[in-house]
Amino acid sequence: RDIKPANIVRAAGGVHKLIDLGAAQVAAHADLLATSHVTLDTDTINSLRTVTVEGGRRSGLPAFGAYSAPENFIPLAPVTFAADIWSLVMTLFELVTGALPYNDTPDAVSASAIIAGDLDADLRDVRDVAPEHIRSGLSSTFSQVLALGLRKRQEERTQTADDLSSDLHRCLVDSVEETYS
């Protein structure tokens, strides 16, 4: 649960790999709780979602702030693979545009407030954020795929990596068909 640009590296042969899965410990605790009769109090669960910031602790803020799905900010909310889809699509959005899909904010705390805010508010369209020289090459289908991956309500978001892969593949096929038709 720690997908962000800083955790993607290019390995030998040009293969990209995801590294630094420290947040996976939180997922492991969640999996253990889901399959056992162990009950944790709210303080213990919130401590799993705590960030250390310059010697202080801020409860409820995921360590990967700006790339975190909204449910990561809600105490006791279930965090599913849809949160990983959010982080991956957020990373893809930034890769394409050079920016994140919310208004420019000075820090991760401000960005987190926007992400966890109004769950019905949409984030900016990739075509509105992308630089002009890239914007013309972005299809409405691609924009819709990113928008679906960044739905704030996890039940409305793309749910699996297979679904995201299929949607992105459809964008490529549509682009090729448009180019050669």
Side-chain angles (χ1 to χ4, degrees):
R1 304 268 141 80
D2 199 7
I3 300 171
K4 60 184 177 182
N7 287 347
I8 300 173
V9 297
R10 187 173 181 178
V15 175
H16 289 81
K17 300 207 177 216
L18 186 61
I19 62 166
D20 189 18
L21 300 174
Q25 294 173 355
V26 174
H29 288 293
D31 290 345
L32 175 66
L33 293 175
T35 59
S36 70
H37 299 289
V38 175
T39 304
L40 294 179
D41 58 72
T42 303
D43 289 338
T44 303
I45 291 171
N46 283 338
S47 73
L48 294 174
R49 295 181 179 168
T50 300
V51 175
T52 302
V53 181
E54 294 184 26
R57 294 175 69 80
R58 293 179 183 247
S59 181
L61 287 175
F64 31 100
Y67 300 91
S68 247
E71 57 268 23
N72 283 310
F73 298 91
I74 303 168
L76 304 178
V79 178
T80 68
F81 287 114
D84 295 327
I85 297 297
W86 169 284
S87 298
L88 183 58
V89 172
M90 184 72 75
T91 300
L92 180 58
F93 191 105
E94 185 177 21
L95 176 70
V96 170
T97 66
L100 293 170
Y102 33 79
N103 295 331
D104 297 326
T105 55
D107 56 45
V109 174
S110 299
S112 300
I114 292 168
I115 293 169
D118 182 2
L119 293 179
D120 294 317
D122 291 326
L123 298 173
R124 296 187 297 175
D125 186 294
V126 66
R127 293 168 297 172
D128 295 336
V129 179
E132 187 63 40
H133 69 281
I134 294 174
R135 191 174 301 156
S136 62
L138 299 176
S139 69
S140 60
T141 304
F142 182 73
S143 177
Q144 291 167 0
V145 168
L146 294 190
L148 185 59
L150 293 174
R151 295 298 308 237
K152 288 187 172 187
R153 295 183 186 280
Q154 69 174 312
E155 65 274 6
E156 296 173 2
R157 191 177 315 137
T158 304
Q159 295 295 304
T160 68
D162 285 340
D163 290 343
L164 179 60
S165 177
S166 294
D167 291 346
L168 290 171
H169 182 264
R170 187 182 75 242
C171 291
L172 290 172
V173 169
D174 289 353
S175 175
V176 168
E177 287 176 352
E178 185 178 303
T179 301
Y180 293 103
S181 62

